[in-house]
Amino acid sequence: MKSKAILLTLSILAGGAYSCKKLDVPVESQFVAGNFPKTLSDYNASLGAIYSNLSSQFAVPYWRMQTLSTDEAILPARDGNFDDGGQYRQLHYHTWTPDHPNVLTIWQWAYGGITTCNRLLNITNSFGFSDAEKANRLAEIRAMRALYYFFLLDLYGNVPLVTDYPVTGSPATQPRASVYKFIESELLALTPKLPAKSSNAATNTQQYGRPTKGLVYALLAKLYLNSEVYGGAARYPDVVRMADSVQANPNYSLDARYRDIFLPNNGPQIKETIFAIPYDQQIPGNQFTRFGFFYYLVNAYGFNVGLSIAMSTTPEFYARFNLPGDFRTTTWLAGPQFVPDGNGGFTSTPVYYPNTTTQININPVLTLVPPKPMDLGNTIATQSEGVRSIKYYPDPTIIQATRLNGNDVPVLRLADVLLMKAEAILRGASATTVGSELQTPLVLVNKIRARAGAQLATSITLDGMLDERARELSWEAWRRNDLIRFGQFETEYPLPNDVLKMDKSTFRRLYPVPTIELRLNSALQQNTGY
């Protein structure tokens, strides 16, 4: 939940901000004399469309594609409720089709953002800024365009590269490796033109949720860590180099308390945030409490609104939270429930089911009730199955009208960068010294563990890194990316009484091009297997 200044800067809706859903943008949507921004306020409102588009879909459909397709989260039906046409079980069992609603929504969302960026590049060049101001603003827009292309690269792989506005002709599908090279070249070109995280609080507030040098370095580290997945050669030394570039800025550091990163009042004061998406209760998108909380606990947490009781994690994923002293374990609700203490822990006061003296007890095991597919049933007992997440801590001011959280959602943060560096070294890169510290994988992992209060590791293997990332980055939309890189995206986690099977085809490491887009643009090529 942020100051109004940040929200106004990043979230003002410009006319038609998300109307350009297709690649063949109609000519009448161009800026002409009658609607060309005339004042700086008009221009900033147009620029805000890039960010309002980003927040509109990231924390729900984008997050679901990256997370519900893994062991990290599951959204089962409950006696038919929350089935929603089978879209969640299709993600869980890897049986989605080119007509899956999230597949279409996120394709259109990303290209809507890219179209807005391309349009604003034209506007910026014609607006009358000084050369220095123009360069800064063009760099910001291009960096956001590169981020949108990264989302497409990771999810769909082979996609059109559209850099002109208006679009002429029918943009053709480009190989994943070409999209990778485009993103890399854009980010490298922008590095000297973007601001760095500052020690000045006012400056950081102004920059918050906007691209900085740190975003470029961290996103390049992601590209290089996944280079072989994306069709390139191994780039592990470059991962280390980019991680060290982030650490070279002393204004990035691990926050003392893990929980602070995800509270409803998180924001520019979080030291390790590299790039986050701001949310408040009026900005569509952040619905973690609405979908992932446990309804019967609302009064204990200080609010009382209608929630869905639907989403949880799998027993296998929760089992990774097994380190003695690890605060991150308390970000899950499992077992007997107690009133929270307001400081990230719990009192000794039990919480009871309504109108009973029975303590609420959340069972990690998800036992299906056939014949309805991926259905738990809808009794009090079955509603209590599935570990719930309070990582994005429930907002006590949540209101019935929207049921939205005010927690910002981090996209890239320092802890992730340190874990990427550790993994890259385990994969063959050399350890480097930062300050006077030789940062071996064990040193880096123990930095993360120590902050969480977890028992320190005595050794670390590459396989162990996947569990370290699971514990630190749960529900931050990186699990699919990690599982694919580790060759484990096709691992199945059968539920008791399950009558369905996962499709373990490796072609599903990419999502398909949506059917409607193929019909609109004959130059598009469907991904293999669909």
Side-chain angles (χ1 to χ4, degrees):
M1 184 180 295
K2 283 9 90 219
S3 68
K4 291 182 179 179
I6 296 174
L7 295 171
L8 286 171
T9 300
L10 301 185
S11 305
I12 295 172
L13 286 170
Y18 193 56
S19 61
C20 303
K21 294 183 176 179
K22 309 296 186 293
L23 297 181
D24 53 342
V25 179
V27 174
E28 57 266 29
S29 68
Q30 297 179 51
F31 278 95
V32 295
N35 64 359
F36 189 88
K38 296 179 176 62
T39 66
L40 184 59
S41 178
D42 293 340
Y43 175 90
N44 287 336
S46 299
L47 183 67
I50 299 174
Y51 300 99
S52 60
N53 180 77
L54 184 67
S55 64
S56 69
Q57 307 295 334
F58 181 88
V60 181
Y62 175 84
W63 184 91
R64 286 175 177 170
M65 291 175 76
Q66 295 284 20
T67 310
L68 293 181
S69 60
T70 75
D71 59 334
E72 193 173 58
I74 184 170
L75 210 166
R78 297 176 187 270
D79 198 20
N81 296 315
F82 314 116
D83 183 69
D84 292 349
Q87 59 177 294
Y88 313 124
R89 57 183 150 86
Q90 289 166 14
L91 290 172
H92 179 74
Y93 293 107
H94 293 194
T95 57
W96 54 78
T97 71
D99 298 310
H100 191 281
N102 292 165
V103 168
L104 175 61
T105 295
I106 293 307
W107 178 282
Q108 294 182 339
W109 166 75
Y111 276 111
I114 289 165
T115 299
T116 299
C117 290
N118 289 338
R119 183 172 66 236
L120 281 164
L121 289 174
N122 286 353
I123 293 171
T124 303
N125 277 316
S126 306
F127 194 76
F129 290 118
S130 68
D131 289 346
E133 179 72 3
K134 181 187 295 185
N136 292 339
R137 291 180 178 272
L138 290 174
E140 176 182 0
I141 297 165
R142 287 171 61 191
M144 291 304 297
R145 184 177 65 180
L147 180 62
Y148 278 113
Y149 267 118
F150 175 83
F151 297 146
L152 287 168
L153 169 78
D154 191 65
L155 288 171
Y156 301 94
N158 312 297
V159 298
L161 282 171
V162 183
T163 57
D164 296 327
Y165 182 86
V167 178
T168 57
S170 297
T173 300
Q174 298 297 316
R176 197 180 201 184
S178 297
V179 182
Y180 168 95
K181 290 177 181 178
F182 170 78
I183 297 170
E184 180 189 21
S185 64
E186 282 288 279
L187 293 175
L188 290 174
L190 296 173
T191 304
K193 301 174 183 178
L194 289 168
K197 184 179 177 70
S198 170
S199 60
N200 182 279
T203 301
N204 283 334
T205 297
Q206 185 179 25
Q207 293 175 352
Y208 183 71
R210 305 171 80 167
T212 60
K213 294 182 191 297
L215 167 67
V216 167
Y217 298 141
L219 197 56
L220 281 169
K222 283 287 181 191
L223 277 176
Y224 296 147
L225 187 63
N226 293 283
S227 182
E228 292 169 289
V229 174
Y230 296 156
R235 302 282 298 270
Y236 301 119
D238 290 325
V239 177
V240 173
R241 184 166 55 89
M242 290 300 107
D244 289 351
S245 296
V246 173
Q247 293 186 84
N249 186 334
N251 298 306
Y252 291 114
S253 62
L254 294 178
D255 286 85
R257 299 203 309 172
Y258 183 77
R259 70 186 299 269
D260 291 352
I261 307 167
F262 309 98
L263 289 174
N265 66 346
N266 60 353
Q269 77 278 11
I270 302 301
K271 297 175 182 178
E272 70 185 76
T273 298
I274 297 172
F275 184 79
I277 300 177
Y279 283 101
D280 72 4
Q281 294 177 347
Q282 305 304 323
I283 299 176
N286 186 344
Q287 301 182 12
F288 292 117
T289 295
R290 177 179 176 182
F291 290 108
F293 192 60
F294 188 64
Y295 174 77
Y296 296 115
L297 292 170
V298 292
N299 291 329
Y301 281 76
F303 59 94
N304 187 10
V305 299
L307 302 175
S308 74
I309 210 167
M311 189 165 63
S312 63
T313 192
T314 66
E316 291 84 0
F317 189 81
Y318 176 65
R320 291 176 170 85
F321 289 78
N322 56 1
L323 302 180
D326 193 346
F327 174 83
R328 296 169 299 188
T329 303
T330 68
T331 65
W332 299 101
L333 298 176
Q337 294 302 296
F338 298 87
V339 173
D341 64 9
N343 196 40
F346 301 92
T347 68
S348 59
T349 304
V351 185
Y352 302 105
Y353 291 104
N355 304 313
T356 75
T357 56
T358 302
Q359 186 177 9
I360 292 175
N361 192 341
I362 297 177
N363 179 4
V365 178
L366 297 157
T367 301
L368 300 182
V369 182
K372 295 176 182 177
M374 206 174 88
D375 198 306
L376 296 176
N378 205 23
T379 65
I380 293 258
T382 60
Q383 287 174 2
S384 303
E385 292 180 1
V387 177
R388 304 319 206 272
S389 173
I390 54 169
K391 181 171 181 173
Y392 300 91
Y393 201 81
D395 190 341
T397 65
I398 193 170
I399 56 177
Q400 181 68 43
T402 62
R403 296 183 286 177
L404 300 177
N405 289 52
N407 318 57
D408 294 349
V409 177
V411 179
L412 293 162
R413 57 187 181 93
L414 179 61
D416 187 2
V417 170
L418 298 181
L419 290 175
M420 286 195 285
K421 179 178 180 179
E423 182 183 332
I425 295 169
L426 287 170
R427 292 184 183 274
S430 298
T432 58
T433 299
V434 174
S436 59
E437 178 183 65
L438 178 62
Q439 291 190 333
T440 64
L442 184 61
V443 166
L444 291 164
V445 165
N446 278 336
K447 282 179 177 290
I448 305 300
R449 286 197 181 193
R451 189 265 299 278
Q455 183 181 80
L456 299 185
T458 57
S459 63
I460 186 67
T461 64
L462 186 58
D463 287 342
M465 280 304 305
L466 188 58
D467 286 346
E468 296 294 338
R469 291 187 60 81
R471 284 186 281 264
E472 178 66 20
L473 301 167
S474 64
W475 283 35
E476 292 184 51
W478 290 116
R479 183 63 172 171
R480 171 184 163 275
N481 179 279
D482 290 342
L483 289 178
I484 290 172
R485 188 173 63 257
F486 277 82
Q488 296 187 29
F489 187 55
E490 294 75 34
T491 301
E492 190 170 17
Y493 301 94
L495 300 172
N497 300 331
D498 208 341
V499 297
L500 300 177
K501 297 292 183 183
M502 174 188 282
D503 183 343
K504 297 184 179 181
S505 304
T506 56
F507 73 79
R508 291 190 178 274
R509 295 181 183 184
L510 289 178
Y511 283 100
V513 180
T515 299
I516 191 171
E517 300 296 337
L518 291 168
R519 292 172 180 167
L520 289 167
N521 181 359
S522 60
L524 294 178
Q525 296 178 10
Q526 184 57 275
N527 283 328
T528 300
Y530 293 103

